[in-house]
Amino acid sequence: MSTPTHSGKKRVFSGIQPSGEMHLGNYLGAIKNWVDAQYDNDNIFCIVDLHAITVPQDPQTLHRRSRDLAKIYLAAGLDPSRTAIFIQSHVKEHAEMAWLFNCITPMGWANRMTQFKEKQAEIKERSSVGLLAYPMLMAADILLYQADGVPVGEDQRQHIELTRDIAQKFNHDYGPVLKVPEAWIRSEGARIMSLQDPTKKMSKSDPAGCILLLDPPDVLRSRIMKAVTDSGREVRFDESRPGLLNLLTIYQLLSPPGTTRQDVERHFEGQGYGALKKELAELVVEGLGPLQRHFAELSKDEGHIEDLLKNGADRVRPIAQQTMAAAAAAMGLG
Ligand code: AMP
Ligand code: TRP
């Protein structure tokens, strides 16, 4: 894998936890954007299993989900000849760099993370030390590769801000070793909402409100038809009607590139919610069809996926090792 200066392209790093089934929020908020921009950048996309174990996981399920997530990346259209795809725990430097960051990050910064506070409130005393350390591991992921951009959904903004703060503090205290990255968050699709409670984001922890990428067509259709909508008749992008707004946003994002909100509103002029849901259901079934077929195809050859993941880790490891060595030396280790 070339460095940004070699290729002249920006280096992009992102990751997803293999901790649940992938849903439309993951796809429209993250993976689809990676695929759309993959030929403009120098990409590294990770399957962050070390993050997944910050909450208890069944070992066999975790192992399988890591492979399934790799298949989702490929089935969604990532091209492994242009993009390194690898499993976080295959590159030991992630855990090593995270330790350095644990030691330089003030406790107050970690305690302020809203995702931590939410999870902590949910699981209380069963909460692990790793859950508090989660954002420093994420900073390690990104900073090891000197990434320019981190394409994520809106919910990750605070973690990227912390990553920037950690990079700046490191460079200030020990010398200029780390590149300060930017969050790349698209305004549309950055937050896909639950179909059952459109004031909450679509999330693995709320299966009823999710559209899973591998759901069969009849399940996809029924999920959309049962989606909660608001009272009102006109089909318009309206911030005061979050259920409708969410369905329209999904419709727009699955439509051909360049489709605007006005195009979508014009299309549904004079029609009601029923027509929107019916058309949206077909659009989702059609939109996910190729991904589902490709996933099934890839599942026939698990050995190929193992090779690909090993190759991905082998390609990125030298970059991680270089940054790790520079950071360790700057801190006086070794
Ligand atoms: P996670 O499933 O929490 O590991 O998230 C993986 C990626 O999907 C991250 O970039 C998230 O920002 C993005 N993501 C997760 N849920 C949503 C959602 N409901 N809407 C948009 N993006 C999302
Ligand atoms: N915290 C991210 C999420 O839950 C996953 C993640 C881990 C990540 N490391 C990363 C995302 C590095 C981007 C870059 O979605």
Side-chain angles (χ1 to χ4, degrees):
M1 163 137 307
S2 53
T3 64
T5 39
H6 278 147
S7 64
K9 290 184 173 177
K10 298 232 161 145
R11 171 150 311 141
V12 164
F13 185 99
S14 197
I16 298 184
Q17 301 183 64
S19 54
E21 309 306 323
M22 288 296 103
H23 55 71
L24 205 58
N26 298 129
Y27 180 64
L28 296 176
I31 304 173
K32 185 168 183 292
N33 300 333
W34 307 350
V35 173
D36 290 347
Q38 69 177 325
Y39 297 109
D40 305 333
N41 303 308
D42 186 11
N43 315 291
I44 306 178
F45 295 125
C46 189
I47 293 156
V48 291
D49 56 349
L50 296 173
H51 279 103
I53 60 166
T54 55
V55 296
Q57 301 289 338
D58 171 65
Q60 277 175 359
T61 310
L62 177 66
H63 196 267
R64 176 184 57 76
R65 281 189 174 146
S66 293
R67 275 71 193 168
D68 281 354
L69 187 50
K71 288 188 269 176
I72 295 262
Y73 284 3
L74 295 169
L78 286 179
D79 172 356
S81 72
R82 299 297 298 264
T83 295
I85 296 174
F86 76 106
I87 295 182
Q88 188 185 30
S89 62
H90 290 183
V91 178
K92 304 290 181 226
E93 284 71 17
H94 289 250
E96 195 180 348
M97 187 66 114
W99 178 253
L100 306 198
F101 292 163
N102 282 338
C103 295
I104 68 163
T105 305
M107 194 66 147
W109 292 8
N111 272 328
R112 264 206 300 279
M113 295 293 108
T114 50
Q115 191 168 304
F116 168 69
K117 287 195 280 191
E118 281 167 17
K119 283 202 189 166
Q120 161 98 336
E122 199 181 299
I123 55 181
K124 308 224 167 62
E125 65 277 7
R126 282 179 294 126
S127 170
S128 68
V129 175
L131 206 56
L132 179 66
Y134 180 114
M136 282 63 80
L137 177 60
M138 179 160 162
D141 297 342
I142 298 164
L143 300 177
L144 273 174
Y145 300 99
Q146 311 281 2
D148 298 280
V150 188
V152 282
E154 179 63 39
D155 60 344
Q156 296 302 311
R157 189 185 290 281
Q158 196 188 29
H159 284 154
I160 313 290
E161 283 302 319
L162 181 80
T163 300
R164 291 167 56 86
D165 290 343
I166 291 174
Q168 275 157 354
K169 179 168 166 52
F170 189 101
N171 291 342
H172 175 268
D173 292 354
Y174 301 105
V177 173
L178 303 170
K179 175 152 218 162
V180 182
E182 276 173 19
W184 288 359
I185 299 174
R186 284 215 193 154
S187 51
E188 282 157 353
R191 231 169 120 77
I192 301 296
M193 309 311 280
S194 161
L195 296 185
Q196 290 304 313
D197 177 358
T199 61
K200 289 203 195 117
K201 70 167 186 172
M202 187 178 282
S203 149
K204 294 169 196 181
S205 54
D206 161 34
C210 271
I211 294 184
L212 299 183
L213 299 184
L214 299 178
D215 271 342
D218 52 326
V219 177
L220 293 174
R221 287 194 186 94
S222 110
R223 284 274 153 91
I224 303 270
M225 297 313 285
K226 286 193 198 134
V228 169
T229 41
D230 334 69
S231 56
R233 290 185 36 214
E234 239 185 311
V235 176
R236 269 195 303 114
F237 286 83
D238 176 354
E239 305 294 330
S240 70
R241 288 185 281 167
L244 175 64
L245 181 67
N246 192 37
L247 295 183
L248 283 172
T249 302
I250 297 172
Y251 188 94
Q252 184 192 0
L253 292 172
L254 290 174
S255 296
T259 304
T260 64
R261 287 184 161 196
Q262 286 75 8
D263 296 335
V264 177
E265 287 177 349
R266 220 171 295 131
H267 179 79
F268 286 107
E269 214 170 291
Q271 304 195 66
Y273 289 177
L276 166 65
K277 282 186 172 179
K278 253 202 195 129
E279 276 202 43
L280 179 61
E282 291 320 307
L283 194 61
V284 169
V285 169
E286 273 170 40
L288 295 181
L291 183 152
Q292 297 189 345
R293 285 190 289 279
H294 195 175
F295 185 93
E297 204 49 46
L298 290 164
S299 299
K300 291 181 188 157
D301 188 358
E302 300 286 343
H304 171 68
I305 300 297
E306 287 308 320
D307 291 347
L308 188 127
L309 289 169
K310 182 176 179 306
N311 179 268
D314 289 346
R315 274 162 71 191
V316 301
R317 192 176 292 107
I319 312 172
Q321 285 173 336
Q322 200 180 0
T323 309
M324 186 66 232
M331 288 184 80
L333 298 170

